[in-house]
Amino acid sequence: MSKGLFQALSRLTRIPVRIFVRPHRRINAAMWDTQYALGLWSYLDGMSDGTVPLSLIESWAPRPTILDLGCGTSANLPLTPGRYRHYHGVDISRQAIAQARALARPDTSFEVADIRHFRSTDRYDAILLREVIYYLSGTESVALLRRLPTLLTPRGRIVVQVYDVSQTEEFVRLIRNCGLPLVAEIPTRLGDGPTGALFVLAAPALPTSPSPGELTGEAARS
C-alpha cells in the first residue's frame, strides 16, 4: 500500500461520530457490517502494532484477562497462547466478529454489542480501546471511560490508543480530563505515520475511612 493511500485511509479512522456513527444502533451496526463485508478495514489487520499494548499490559498484569472494546477482527493483536489468560472482544459489527471468531485462537471469546451500552459481570486486568474513542461523541466517550472501572480487577487498567494525537486533540483532552487517574501517556508511531499515544487510566481511588483516633466531634461521640 502506498504512503498516500495509507494516509487517506487512516483519515477515515478520525472522521467523527456525525459521519460514521448514528444514534440508532441498527443503522450504525449495518453501516459497520457493510464496511467490513467490503473489506474497507482489511488493511489494518497487517499494519497496527498490537504488540505494543500487549507488552504494556504485561508490565502490570502478567497473563492478563483482556477486554477489547471495538475490537474489529482483532487480527492485528498478536494473541500468542500462554501470553494471556483470556481475551474477550466486543464489536457492533457481526461481520467483524465473524471474522474474529474464524481465527479460532485459544482462550478467546467474542460478542456483538454496542460498546456504549456494554455490560458484564466479569472483571478484567486490562480494557482496550484501540482507535475507537473518536467514533463516539465527546459526551459518550467520557461516560464510557467513567463507567469502565466497574469492569476492572483490583490491578486492572484501561488502555486508550490514539493513532494521531494532532488530529484528535479534542478527544485527547477528554481522555486526560475524564476524571480517572492518568497513570501513563506513551508516544507511539506506526512506521512513518503520525505521532500517536497510548493512555493508561486507572480506577479512581476509593475514599478511605478515618481511623478511630481521627474521629472528632459528633462522629467520635456517635
Side-chain angles (χ1 to χ4, degrees), residues 25-36:
R25 184 189 180 282
R26 290 183 180 179
I27 299 175
N28 183 19
M31 184 166 49
W32 284 107
D33 280 342
T34 300
Q35 293 177 59
Y36 276 103

Side-chain angles (χ1 to χ4, degrees), residues 6 44 46-50 161 163 188-196:
F6 171 68
L44 289 175
M47 297 191 72
S48 293
D49 188 4
Q161 186 168 8
Y163 172 70
T188 62
R189 186 186 294 272
L190 180 60
D192 60 352
T195 299

